[in-house]
Amino acid sequence: MANILCIGAGYVGGPTMAVIAKNCPQHRVVVVDINEARIKAWQSDNLPIYEPGLDEVVRCARGRNLFFSTEINRHIAEADIIFVSVNTPTKTFGQGAGRAADLQYWEKTARQILENSTSPKIVVEKSTLPVRTAEAMERILNSDGGCGCAHFDVLSNPEFLAEGTAVRDMENPDRILIGGRETPSGQQAVQTLVDLYANWVPRERILTTNLWSSELSKLVANAFLAQRVSSINAISALCEKTEADVTEVARAIGMDSRIGPKFLKAGVGFGGSCFRKDILNLVYLCQYYGLDEVAAYWEQVVTMNEWQESRFVSNMVSAMFNTVAGKRVALFGAAFKANTGDTRESPALAVCRGLLEEHAEVVITDPKALENAREDLGALAQRVIFEPDPYAAAKNAHAIALVTEWAEFAELDYEQIFRSMVKPAFVFDGRNILNHKALYELGFNVYAVGRPPLTHFVRNNH
Ligand code: NAD
Ligand code: UGA
């Protein structure tokens, strides 16, 4: 039996450890956090995050070999393997502000591990970190702050799960990546982690590399994924000018097996806590190493995304006779994608802010993310109506802007919704999930991303 500890009970720490505990009943898994409310929620029936399938996995292992606690020091002392899954947001101050990773939480954790360790431990970087962070981690752990009798092996094991499919991604990952030192002790640590995952992941999907390749691969994977979204969004703007249809273009290029069909959905822009921060982190690293052209190349992925978000709002304003001031607009969605309650960097909230700047009256509806949206909007929340019922949100609205691709939004009775709205009624489908032709036939003026608009206005219909 091994004592496994995870420091950081967030979107990554909670679900990953629950899946490890479920699949490895022979090991004891403890997840700790400084946030007491979060730990209490993990101990309750009302988990702190919404993820399909997570309740079942937690219920299966919690109290058996999965525990949540705020007693960080005690559990560090007892642990054999420590996953570090604390947040690594973009730095907001000092050198590298706005681009570099803020490593203060991560460094505090490293020092805390050192101070509370008297036995050998494997320390696993689960958080997304700049390449060569493990070197700093090793230096801190091997500095003379502790009792001197602990030996540490540092591994990199980045997480690739996506929110909304976290449990599925963990249960059946494309690959598990483990980076370690090429020393005998480093390689033994790598083998220990390989054996842990091999409890449920086929060994051929467990990839081992050197530390730096592993750390860098995580940033590169997110950069490539986000780049595809920005690429198709860039093309969506050209489609809108030329009456090409971006969904048809995506299908046509995606059938080329060298390009592939995934991550080619044009929309209102990518969100989530990681794409932006990880690309900016990559940009910062490139600048640090003097690779200015490489930095500029990747920075453009973020610039394009910001433009896509603001372009969506400009398109709304210009379609609605160049003013939305005083008009009620129903925002369908607040989460950054479907099947999560997470609103971090959500394009939905960027659109909300843009509409508020134009003095629209914004009503947001979302099945899971209203509470987080209210918190993220801060003072602006006072100017927004939060309405769980989409029918009530759309009532008396001039426009609906669909900004999160929740399946339930496609299944609403749009005939009823149309009747309750101010005319002319507009739908702006920021995710291209609605039946545009059917909506048009009901009387809506329909604007999608990267597709010709369907309007009842004669001048726009040529
Ligand atoms: P999160 O903010 O949801 O969770 C991080 C947790 O760490 C918080 O609950 C915080 O209280 C806790 N914490 C911070 N400092 C601590 C300390 N010193 N001791 C104990 N707990 C501490 O973040 P997240 O979304 O889980 O992301 C964590 C890391 O994983 C980030 O580096 C992120 O880039 C990476 N990642 C995230 C995802 C994702 O889908 N969210 C996917 C892959 C990788
Ligand atoms: C992403 C990666 O997919 C994960 O592999 C990674 O582990 C994670 O970031 C992370 O490091 O945090 P996530 O942000 O949860 O996962 O969700 P994605 O499915 O990647 O979607 C990100 C954003 O891109 C969403 O706003 C989504 O709506 C948007 N997107 C995605 C599109 O606009 N079009 C697409 O075709 C795909």
Side-chain angles (χ1 to χ4, degrees), residues 67-85:
F67 305 92
F68 294 92
S69 167
T70 49
E71 287 181 73
I72 303 177
N73 293 347
R74 174 164 79 83
H75 290 293
I76 288 175
E78 289 172 4
D80 306 305
I81 303 174
I82 302 178
F83 287 88
V84 181
S85 183

Side-chain angles (χ1 to χ4, degrees), residues 55 74 78 86 139 174 217 248 255 292 302 323 398 400:
D55 284 359
R74 174 164 79 83
E78 289 172 4
V86 300
R139 283 191 183 150
D174 284 354
S217 297
E248 293 179 348
M255 283 175 74
D292 290 343
V302 174
T323 176
H398 289 250
I400 293 169

Side-chain angles (χ1 to χ4, degrees), residues 49-64:
I49 60 173
Y50 170 70
E51 266 300 332
L54 184 60
D55 284 359
E56 289 80 350
V57 178
V58 170
R59 220 176 295 131
C60 156
R62 198 175 54 193
R64 179 189 74 181

